[in-house]
Amino acid sequence: MNQTATKASAVISPLGDSALVITFGDSIQYDIHKQIKTCKDSIELKPFPGFVECVPAFTNLTIFYNPLEVVAAVKKKEKKEFVSPFEVVSSIIQCKLENEQTEKELNHCTVSIPVCYGGEYGPDLEYVARHHNLTTEEVISIHSEGEYLAYMIGFAPGFPFLGGLSERIATPRRPSPRTSIPAGSVGIAGMQTGVYPISTPGGWQLIGQTPIKLFLPEQNPPSLLQAGDIVKFKPISKEEYQEMQAKEGEK
């Protein structure tokens, strides 16, 4: 496999014949997220010929491209008979990485998500409390007082993997996943928290539920949250949940 190491300590590797992956590290860290976000923004601001899209993850950025358009652009500009699409795009990415200014602060969009904690909406809240020798009110307070960075969107459409959970309520996944979890369920898995945007199987500890929609297929992009957003959770009552849910259903 061809790989290219850059001056930014990132490694560029091919992914099939129409994508490449830039790996910035091997752990979940804000500095790595910052490099990924900076690179993604730079590419999307000035896309190269044949660019399709960028997909950020915890430690890497995948870039999809149309190899025919990449080759056609190079042939037109440089009159070359044969070029490797991967080598062309890799060269473009290397130049961007070498000229990036990652010392700049990122601009984060802050999104407030209302949550009805416990009861039928959060069946694992009491377990999480017992696991940490806390009251359910203390778990709610700790969870809702935090600020969470959306490192990536994935697993299911619009599902945000949120970092920044307090160690005081970090809880392992369930030993046996549920076969179906309601859309809007807010869960904990290890040092992460997240929201299920659609009904799907899953093994996270469910502590609450939000009435707002995170997956919006009629919009572009079709996700309420984007990688790099800051999420804050706001506790609401069961009555407030039902009222907001009714309004969401009218949209």
Side-chain angles (χ1 to χ4, degrees):
M1 177 185 293
N2 292 324
Q3 289 186 333
T4 303
T6 74
K7 287 175 65 177
S9 299
V11 176
I12 302 175
S13 308
L15 180 64
D17 60 1
S18 58
L20 59 77
V21 180
I22 314 170
T23 303
F24 292 88
D26 58 6
S27 59
I28 304 173
Q29 298 179 26
Y30 182 77
D31 285 346
I32 291 176
H33 167 78
K34 190 175 180 181
Q35 293 178 61
I36 293 171
K37 184 69 165 58
T38 301
C39 183
K40 175 178 180 292
D41 290 347
S42 175
I43 294 169
E44 292 178 339
L45 182 64
K46 294 182 178 180
F48 56 86
F51 171 75
V52 176
E53 67 172 333
C54 290
V55 179
F58 282 125
T59 60
N60 60 56
L61 180 68
T62 300
I63 300 171
F64 293 90
Y65 53 85
N66 184 320
L68 296 179
E69 291 184 14
V70 171
V71 171
V74 174
K75 284 184 176 181
K76 182 178 180 180
K77 182 179 180 180
E78 301 181 15
K79 308 298 182 181
K80 292 183 178 180
E81 289 301 317
F82 175 79
V83 290
S84 162
F86 168 74
E87 291 179 358
V88 172
V89 178
S90 177
S91 178
I92 293 171
I93 299 306
Q94 286 184 62
C95 290
K96 285 185 177 292
L97 291 173
E98 290 170 358
N99 291 287
E100 281 176 359
Q101 297 180 355
T102 55
E103 68 273 8
K104 291 184 178 180
E105 292 300 317
L106 296 179
N107 291 320
H108 298 284
C109 177
T110 300
V111 181
S112 178
I113 296 180
V115 179
C116 183
Y117 289 93
E120 61 187 292
Y121 301 116
D124 298 322
L125 178 63
E126 291 188 3
Y127 171 80
V128 173
R130 291 196 306 271
H131 185 77
H132 295 281
N133 197 28
L134 298 169
T135 65
T136 55
E137 289 77 13
E138 287 173 322
V139 173
I140 294 171
S141 177
I142 294 169
H143 187 263
S144 61
E145 288 176 358
E147 289 191 356
Y148 305 95
L149 174 65
Y151 278 92
M152 61 177 286
I153 307 296
F155 161 63
F159 187 102
F161 286 88
L162 306 175
L165 184 70
S166 170
E167 293 184 1
R168 297 173 62 194
I169 57 173
T171 310
R173 288 173 170 81
R174 290 170 54 86
S176 178
R178 291 181 171 90
T179 57
S180 180
I181 290 176
S185 294
V186 178
I188 289 175
M191 287 294 295
Q192 296 182 96
T193 187
V195 185
Y196 286 83
I198 60 174
S199 180
T200 178
W204 291 36
Q205 305 286 352
L206 306 183
I207 62 172
Q209 194 169 324
T210 179
I212 65 174
K213 297 177 182 178
L214 273 71
F215 177 50
L216 308 166
E218 70 283 358
Q219 296 186 15
N220 184 25
S223 175
L224 174 67
L225 299 173
Q226 305 299 315
D229 286 351
I230 297 294
V231 175
K232 295 182 178 180
F233 294 106
K234 177 185 176 182
I236 58 174
S237 67
K238 183 176 181 179
E239 292 72 26
E240 289 174 310
Y241 175 93
Q242 293 173 342
E243 181 180 345
M244 295 179 71
Q245 187 181 49
K247 290 181 179 179
E248 285 286 315
E250 294 173 357
K251 294 181 179 179

